[in-house]
Amino acid sequence: MSSKPTFPSDTPADPLARAFDEARAAGARGEVPVGAVVVRDGEVIAAAGNRTMADRDPTAHAEVLAIRAACQAIGSERLIGCDLYVTLEPCAMCAGALSFARLRRVYYAAPDPKGGALDHGPRFFTQPTCHHAPEVYGGLRESEAAELLRDFFKERR
């Protein structure tokens, strides 16, 4: 086993593919097309797409919803040994949730220079007040995620 996590991007079991499915479903509902999944021991234990408009809840980002569902699935507020796959770099609110959930790794597709908080903006996990910083891997299937978002917003202009 290599020391750096690998990402099986061309397999049907690809967790990021499931996140993209969730993102496309969110977009079809009129939500910003972002999807997230939580994986534990190689299995998806929770998946969600954005639901801020449907739920009338500004915290109903895909990452937060997936974390909530994963915590329910395993019966713990800590997602020790779990990884999150998401189609867009998480914002500061989601970064806080990722830290408090104690996720092991975060894999994201498109960077978000304006609203992202992992590799852009506040770089949440590098702050001295951050209690837990997961490993972060960005840019996976970046062009696909960027195109999904561009197309969504182009239709609304």
Side-chain angles (χ1 to χ4, degrees):
M1 179 179 228
S2 78
S3 60
K4 183 177 178 186
T6 58
F7 182 73
S9 62
D10 58 350
T11 62
D14 171 1
L16 197 52
R18 175 75 184 274
F20 272 99
D21 290 344
E22 294 290 337
R24 284 188 284 276
R29 295 189 306 270
E31 303 278 0
V32 174
V34 176
V37 300
V38 176
V39 174
R40 181 180 185 192
D41 298 328
E43 287 190 45
V44 172
I45 60 169
N50 275 355
R51 286 198 322 248
T52 59
M53 292 170 38
D55 291 1
R56 304 282 190 251
D57 179 357
T59 70
H61 288 198
E63 301 94 311
V64 171
L65 297 171
I67 287 169
R68 289 176 185 164
C71 289
Q72 289 296 312
I74 67 170
S76 175
E77 76 282 6
R78 300 282 190 244
L79 298 175
I80 306 297
C82 294
D83 300 330
L84 180 94
Y85 293 78
V86 62
T87 58
L88 182 66
E89 179 182 355
C91 69
M93 174 187 71
C94 293
L98 299 170
S99 178
F100 284 120
R102 303 296 194 267
L103 283 154
R104 176 178 57 184
R105 296 183 191 112
V106 176
Y107 298 90
Y108 71 84
D112 186 355
K114 183 177 177 183
L118 307 189
D119 290 325
H120 295 88
R123 297 181 179 172
F124 191 90
F125 300 138
T126 65
Q127 300 303 313
T129 55
C130 180
H131 298 291
H132 170 78
E135 295 173 27
V136 175
Y137 300 89
L140 303 166
R141 295 172 63 175
E142 178 179 344
S143 60
E144 181 181 354
E147 182 179 358
L148 181 65
L149 288 159
R150 260 192 316 273
D151 291 350
F152 176 81
F153 287 111
K154 187 186 328 179
E155 290 177 11
R156 274 137 187 82
R157 290 187 185 122

